[in-house]
Amino acid sequence: MPDLAGDLDAELKKALKGPSMGERLMSTVRSILEPLGCYISIPPYQPDNQDWEITFGALDLDYRTINKFWKIFYKMNKTHDGEVSIIEFMNYFDLDRTPYVVKAFAYCDTVGGGEMDFLEFIVSTWNFCTLDARTLTNFTFDLYDLDDDGEIAYDEIESMIKELYGIGWDTSSLAREALDEMALLSEKYGD
């Protein structure tokens, strides 16, 4: 005859060693709601990396600002593994996977691991937010000047415009206007 009391004691001891019933319940609720974009609570940013803190200080970011970035990063990082994948990035910002988006994400991924950690996120966001029209143009130019010769040929410009506008590039009047203008400049000044 099985020892039900002994089995029950063993199960009880095992349950008591792990997370409490409340913690398990909250974990289950989070796992259901967070993929839907509903958050019970977002833990505050915990400064635990001295190098990051030095960088944040150099950018003149206070704890309140860092915590705002942390909340965005936490919502974006669905797996909560501390690194945002390109899929999580595109989903959060509702972006299509275009070559331009892939190149811009790769720019943010400074270590080249295919994911962006919190430091890379803050530094990249700070960099993008400090760009003006001229420097944003330079940034985009640098993404497409693959041989670093300081020039982009017409076919590279055409490819860039198609990538920027994505699937509907051929129906976009802005894309057509940009290509027409580039074609005129190419004819005037040479490829």
Side-chain angles (χ1 to χ4, degrees), residues 5 8-9 20 43 46 57 71 74 80 86 96 102-103 108 113 125-126 132-133 141 153 158 187-188 190:
L8 186 58
D9 276 349
S20 71
Q46 298 294 322
K71 288 178 181 180
Y74 188 88
H80 303 302
I86 189 167
D96 293 328
V102 171
K103 287 176 183 180
C108 299
T125 303
W126 188 88
D132 59 19
F141 182 91
E158 183 178 26
E187 286 176 22
K188 184 175 181 178

Side-chain angles (χ1 to χ4, degrees), residues 128-184:
F128 284 125
C129 289
T130 57
L131 295 175
D132 59 19
R134 184 186 53 77
T135 53
L136 182 58
T137 302
N138 291 344
F139 167 75
T140 301
F141 182 91
D142 289 343
L143 287 179
Y144 287 90
D145 183 15
L146 301 177
D147 57 4
D148 290 325
D149 68 351
E151 295 180 357
I152 297 181
Y154 177 76
D155 59 330
E156 293 170 315
I157 291 172
E158 183 178 26
S159 175
M160 176 182 68
I161 290 172
K162 289 177 181 179
E163 290 177 9
L164 284 170
Y165 284 91
I167 295 171
W169 76 269
D170 54 343
T171 59
S172 168
S173 60
L174 288 173
R176 178 59 29 212
E177 185 180 323
L179 279 174
D180 291 345
E181 189 174 328
M182 290 300 116
L184 287 173

Side-chain angles (χ1 to χ4, degrees), residues 20-37:
S20 71
M21 176 63 98
E23 291 170 327
R24 288 196 311 267
L25 178 62
M26 288 305 290
S27 176
T28 301
V29 169
R30 277 190 183 100
S31 70
I32 293 168
L33 294 177
E34 285 184 2
L36 302 173

Side-chain angles (χ1 to χ4, degrees), residues 4-5 21 44 51 68 70 80 83 89 97 99 104-105 107 120 124 132 149 151 164 167 169 175 180 182 184 186 189:
L4 295 179
M21 176 63 98
D51 292 334
K68 286 180 183 180
W70 172 252
H80 303 302
E83 295 186 328
F89 179 80
R97 186 182 187 114
F105 183 84
Y107 168 83
E120 291 170 313
S124 298
D132 59 19
D149 68 351
E151 295 180 357
L164 284 170
I167 295 171
W169 76 269
D180 291 345
M182 290 300 116
L184 287 173
S186 180
Y189 297 106

